Amino acid sequence: MDQRSIMDAARVLPVVFVVVNMVSLYLIYSYYHLIPLLQDSKSYHSGVIQTAVFNGITVMMLLCYVRAVATNPGNIPSKEEDPSWEYVPDQAVQQPKTKETKRTGERRHCKWCAKYKPDRCHHCRVCKTCILKMDHHCPWIYNCVGFRNHKYFFLLLLYSAAACNFITISMIPTVESAVQQNSAFAQMFLVLFAETLSAFLGILITFFFLFHIWLMLQAMTTIEFCEKNTKQQSYGSSVHDRGINGNIRAVLGDWILLWLLPVSPPTGNGTNFSDPEADPFITRAIEGDRGPRKSRAKADYAYGAYGAVSNIKRFSRCV
């Protein structure tokens, strides 16, 4: 087995670690907490409610985890799909405009993928490809977090924090009972282990989730946050800001009723974020001395979709 195969196998270990922790917490919580509640007539109704809530949160967490792992975060279109992204200067091909450029003013390109980079796109050396709207590479899901799976990762944090905090709070009486009644060592150890692990993970994931909420509201990715921190720029000056409503929809999708479900990700292809008119939720107009004015757009084109604005303008001229 060569070194590359060993490294690839090692990258699976964080996923195995996560799955083992999920299964362990689920079994311990169910066996030592939920089942005793259901067997006692005095706590039966409370046990039914806690069982339903816990299993509901767990199912949502597992669905989000599978989708975050299995969904391709998004790659630069191939030459067959859109030749304008190929790193071959060709005046005959119209090149999409981008806000992010080199210091020389030239378009950014990836020397490994031999393609021009869209805005918010970065090359992942672990995945060995360029990722659209890359947030970061997450070893815990064996995948990058990008344009197409950002929603699933965000919801994974939500339901993971909810599950851990729910275990921590609801299991306190069980821990007290195990300690006071001097239960068997195995039972006491497993109950204390589950309580400690869930409390630690709950605090950690909750703060991480709050950080990602702030990033979403600021229209930033983790990489863009780090870049601003390195360049000592203001965190409230993202060029991709579309207002609170637009920023949320850019991560959780267009339909508010589906925001908390691992379905209906944001529309678009994630290759263009440069034209403010290409925002289906917020547009900005300048009115003399009054500065930027935000209003709801009535267009049907999608966030991150290149070419939508030019098509609408062409249609308006024909009419």
Side-chain angles (χ1 to χ4, degrees):
M1 182 179 294
D2 57 6
Q3 184 177 1
R4 177 174 296 181
S5 300
I6 296 176
M7 292 297 296
D8 291 339
R11 293 191 182 104
V12 184
L13 293 179
V15 177
V16 175
F17 178 78
V18 170
V19 173
V20 169
N21 280 330
M22 287 182 179
V23 174
S24 300
L25 286 176
Y26 183 86
L27 293 178
I28 295 174
Y29 184 78
S30 298
Y31 186 79
Y32 289 108
H33 179 73
L34 294 179
I35 293 179
L37 287 179
L38 295 173
Q39 292 175 341
D40 190 349
S41 58
K42 296 181 180 180
S43 60
Y44 176 77
H45 295 291
S46 175
V48 170
I49 296 175
Q50 291 188 30
T51 301
V53 173
F54 175 68
N55 282 281
I57 296 175
T58 301
V59 169
M60 294 301 299
M61 179 184 67
L62 291 176
L63 290 175
C64 293
Y65 188 73
V66 171
R67 298 222 64 180
V69 172
T71 302
N72 188 317
N75 306 116
I76 303 175
S78 63
K79 183 178 181 180
E80 291 73 20
E81 295 173 330
D82 189 349
S84 64
W85 296 111
E86 288 295 314
Y87 184 50
V88 178
D90 187 354
Q91 300 298 330
V93 178
Q94 181 181 2
Q95 299 180 352
K97 296 180 180 180
T98 58
K99 289 186 176 180
E100 299 176 4
T101 59
K102 295 182 178 180
R103 294 181 179 179
T104 59
E106 299 177 341
R107 291 179 63 189
R108 299 186 308 138
H109 71 274
C110 178
K111 61 182 180 181
W112 291 285
C113 299
K115 292 182 178 181
Y116 287 110
K117 289 183 179 180
D119 287 335
R120 318 185 83 174
C121 177
H122 299 273
H123 184 87
C124 177
R125 296 188 178 183
V126 178
C127 297
K128 297 180 176 60
T129 186
C130 286
I131 305 299
L132 298 178
K133 194 190 174 185
M134 181 175 176
D135 188 89
H136 68 287
H137 179 86
C138 180
W140 306 109
I141 65 173
Y142 192 56
N143 200 0
C144 273
V145 178
F147 180 75
R148 302 194 186 283
N149 68 344
H150 192 179
K151 175 180 181 177
Y152 308 136
F153 177 80
F154 185 88
L155 293 181
L156 174 63
L157 295 180
L158 168 64
Y159 291 114
S160 298
C164 291
N165 290 324
F166 186 81
I167 293 175
T168 302
I169 296 174
S170 62
M171 204 174 177
I172 292 178
T174 301
V175 175
E176 294 177 347
S177 176
V179 174
Q180 293 174 359
Q181 296 179 6
N182 196 21
S183 302
F185 174 78
Q187 177 181 351
M188 186 180 301
F189 172 79
L190 290 175
V191 169
L192 290 175
F193 169 77
E195 181 73 5
T196 304
L197 180 61
S198 61
F200 172 75
L201 293 178
I203 294 174
L204 191 66
I205 297 175
T206 297
F207 278 104
F208 192 54
F209 176 59
L210 293 176
F211 172 67
H212 273 270
I213 292 179
W214 180 80
L215 287 178
M216 176 179 65
L217 297 179
Q218 296 296 323
M220 281 192 296
T221 62
T222 301
I223 291 180
E224 291 167 354
F225 170 82
C226 294
E227 288 176 345
K228 287 180 177 292
N229 186 35
T230 303
K231 299 177 182 178
Q232 297 182 349
Q233 297 177 347
S234 172
Y235 295 123
S237 59
S238 174
V239 295
H240 306 291
D241 182 22
R242 304 187 299 155
I244 294 179
N245 183 41
N247 293 340
I248 295 176
R249 291 175 185 265
V251 174
L252 300 182
D254 301 347
W255 300 97
I256 186 173
L257 296 179
L258 302 178
W259 278 0
L260 300 183
L261 299 178
V263 295
S264 185
T267 53
N269 55 23
T271 59
N272 186 275
F273 309 90
S274 61
D275 197 324
E277 295 183 14
D279 180 0
F281 314 107
I282 303 294
T283 57
R284 291 170 175 78
I286 304 298
E287 295 184 350
D289 301 327
R290 298 172 60 183
R293 175 178 58 85
K294 296 182 180 180
S295 61
R296 293 194 177 276
K298 300 180 180 179
D300 296 328
Y301 35 79
Y303 175 66
Y306 170 69
V309 180
S310 59
N311 291 336
I312 292 176
K313 291 181 176 179
R314 191 181 301 112
F315 175 77
S316 62
R317 284 197 298 267
C318 294
V319 174

